[in-house]
Amino acid sequence: MGRQGEQAAFSEALQQSPEDATQFLFHIRGPAGVGKSTLMRQLESVAREAQALTAYVDESAADVVETMEAISAQFAQQGVDLKGFGRLLTTYRQRRHEAAAGGAAAEGAGEAAGAGRGVEPQGPSPLSVIVSQLGLAGLGMVPGAGVFTGAVDPNQLAAGADRVKALLSARLRSHEDVQLVMSPLQALVPAFLQGLGEAAAGRPWVVLFFDTYERTGPLLDGWLRDILVTERYGQLPANVLVVLAGQPRLDARCWGDWLDLVTDLPLDVFTDAEARQLLAAKGIIDEKVTEVVIELSGRLPVLVSTLAEARPASVAEVGDPSGTAVERFLKWEANPARRAAALACALPLELDEDVYRTVVDDEEAGEQFGWLRSMPFVIDRAGRTRYHDVVRSAMLRLQRQQSPLRWQEQHTRLADAFRQRLGRLEEGTAPDDGWWADDRWRTYRLQETYHRLCADHRAALPSALRDLLDAHDHDITTLRRWVRTLIQAGHDVDAGAVRKWGQELLTALDGPRPGISALTLLLSRGGLDSSGQCLGHLLRGWEHRRLDEHEQALADCTTALGLDRTGRALRGRGESYRRLGRHAEALADFDEAIEREPGIVWAFESRGVTYQSMGRYEEALADYTRAVDLDPGSVWVLGSRGLTYHSMGRYEEALADYTRAVDLDPGSVWVLGSRGLTYHSMGRHAEALADYTRAVDLDPGSAWALGSRGANYHSMGCYDEALADFDRALALDPDSAWILANRGAAHRRSGRYADALADLTRAVDLDPDSAWPLANRGETHRLTGRYDEALADFTRAVDLDPGSAWVLGSRGQTHDATGRYEEALADFDRALALDPDAAWIIADRGVTRRLAGRYDEALADFDRAVEMTPDSLRPLVNRGVTHRVAGRYEEARADLDRALAIDGSSGWAHYEKAVVLYAVDDPEYEAYCARAIERCTPAPGQSTADTASDVGNLVLVHCLMSDWATAEGHLAAFVGCGPERGQLRELLVVLETLRSVVPSAEGHLPSFRRRLQTALDASR
């Protein structure tokens, strides 16, 4: 009854076509008891009559994820399944569970019963607290995850987000799983909208109702705004209407730019005419009765409806105007048992028939409970039955004041009833993570806590505060529910101390460091016993570690160990030591944890990670193998052991572990990518490509998978494909130094040196302590003849990574190009001590030894390089040149013939063969000179800057033919094309070798040498 104008506006919106509709967001607002929820129910009935698909959400949904889940469940009840969203939601909960618990089945054995009573569980995952903070993602408050209400400092969260991601990666080791747990809204909301679109296609309208928005708005505002007025997560179907009901106006900070799109429906108390209309509909037409009801109710709709329910025929039946409001509400009920039941049932937060029996003790409980649910002040939505706040508050206040003793007895009886429910649950098998992981168990525990506080808040408060630690240990959403219940209890029992605790904790949770602030408050003033102090310090230690505050984390974990030397506390301190690089102390803590609890998987995992980070791979393998024995189905442990095998170069064993992990979880992007990396390292590029491509197909948004595939393409010489993957990866993760460095290397291999330097310089800026981008930039400088810059980069890279043979070898090449042969040889020697089988370094050392005139040593190097890479042109030709300058023409001829058999297009090999033939007076040298000229002459239009080596060979060929004028012309072209200093120096050295071969060289070579030396000096 009443609110005809509001119903008419809504009905009119439903009668429009979605394409022409201008109203899609209705906001019902007004004070408590004004009839917002009643109007919502009326509008929902109107929508259902119009064949709309509807869903109703109130404060029982604690975050965005639970809100979407509630909508999906209600759609399913109407025959519409959001299957894709449902599957992804299931995956999210599974992955979040894995992140939180990992090996909790072994860790929590024997602790379930204790956990049920607040005793600290032993050995849950170190990520349990981190995942409690991931509740912020469900609330939409993690950067990149969706809504950001301003309640949490974005800079603080952004600083911690990468740390959380790193910790999650250590547990999940799957990029898409980490993304799903870290940023659930980024994955879940698009799936939800897609399902919503499919559902909307079969209905004229979809209407979503959000009640008690004054409570849920701070958590849902940003998400709701984004799906309504932006396409951040996808497109909302045109035929979706949203109805909000709350007390205040919408938050202008969130909705300010879109308030003109909101259809505002402010509600006040009934007008006199509306109140009379409702009373007339109830059969109350006596004017005096009507006036008394209007006066007593103040025209507040819920009270008008309640007083009218008994249909009083006289003023006497309404009640004495001087009586209390509650007495008047119940005056109409002649049955004293029902009056008592109505009062008593205001005590619980929520009702069901069993709770009704507890508070009423009625043999006809089923029938009477049905009667109670029909009362206008009872709200029965989404499977929850509760009193309207206005009526409940008045009834609680009356009972508390009338009989404090009965108040205490009734709340104690309710608390005991919920304790019995808990006991019956605990007779079964506890979840792997303990009873706090069970939804029903938490609900009963929360109800018990509420009633204990109401019965005797002074006695119950310490236990309630202790429960907050366990709630935090479960997740941040659970902690918020507990804090809100603390505030509710403080209000209902009028206990200022309880209410103050709740408000201060809620303020802490809304601050920039929610976990640390709340825990500090509890530790400093919560009166916690030693068990609570231990858990509080341990949880705060995890929070500090999440923020990379490892010294503070270490202090908290050490304090926890001083209170109770548990395996969990040992692991916490061990992890802090490990992250501080104090590996010996970390190992000591992990050793003790294993000694105390030898069957705990996580202890072996953590110690294995520590050994791995220390390079003690055999010991890491032993620990991972023990962990696999304890938990054969752990994809993470198998993957970690595979990574250790890979680091040891035991690729076949790494492949075995990765393949076993893939069989267990075919959708694990991390495992597929890791196996691809092993194939890549083995040179099995086709198999690597298959794994990388499968990983990309599973998660097209994985920058890591795209970057890894790009690196594989790079190794295959497919630079265009590599660059395409790197571009896609950087579009997803623009600040990835690793991908930028890889793209820079691909640009370098493609001859795009300017692009290479740009990427590599940015990579160095982003990660100045990484040797690989520096070394790649050094290589780019070397190839462009910028040797001083190259040496600076290589030297920094060597300082950062003195164990890199590639960096040392590259610096040796740079020293060689600048004529610093001794420095070059020193670097080559160091590199080969690290990697004795690096054929390219052996060959380069041979070249440097030849240029330094150390021919026998050079030949020894070339012999070994040829033996290792028999089909490689470079060591064969260089060995032939060394034989030739040493006067061993037959050996030189044999090497050059073999080289030309490998690559008949090499102008360099043809020239060297011509020199050998000339030296032994074989006239066939002219044919080889002609072939060398043919192969070294640039094609028409080809830039000589790209062919400096070939032009240098043309100089040599014409010198050999004593065609000095043509040789001088080519020399001018060679100098003019800007050759590298190394090319200038090498041509100088090789020209000198012609003095003993070409009789006429003595008269011409000095001027050639002067020109080259001038160019070399100018290039410094």
Side-chain angles (χ1 to χ4, degrees), residues 321-337:
S322 64
T324 68
V326 175
E327 288 172 336
R328 294 184 204 122
F329 300 157
L330 300 179
K331 176 71 176 180
W332 45 262
E333 180 51 65
N335 185 330

Side-chain angles (χ1 to χ4, degrees), residues 450-461:
Y450 168 78
H451 290 296
R452 298 282 181 214
L453 286 166
C454 288
D456 186 350
H457 66 271
R458 293 180 180 85
L461 183 58

Side-chain angles (χ1 to χ4, degrees), residues 864-888:
R864 189 167 167 218
V866 168
E867 181 182 357
M868 297 173 70
T869 56
D871 294 327
S872 176
L873 184 76
R874 187 166 180 267
L876 272 169
V877 176
N878 269 293
R879 188 170 69 178
V881 172
T882 308
H883 281 309
R884 192 256 299 171
V885 297
R888 301 171 183 148

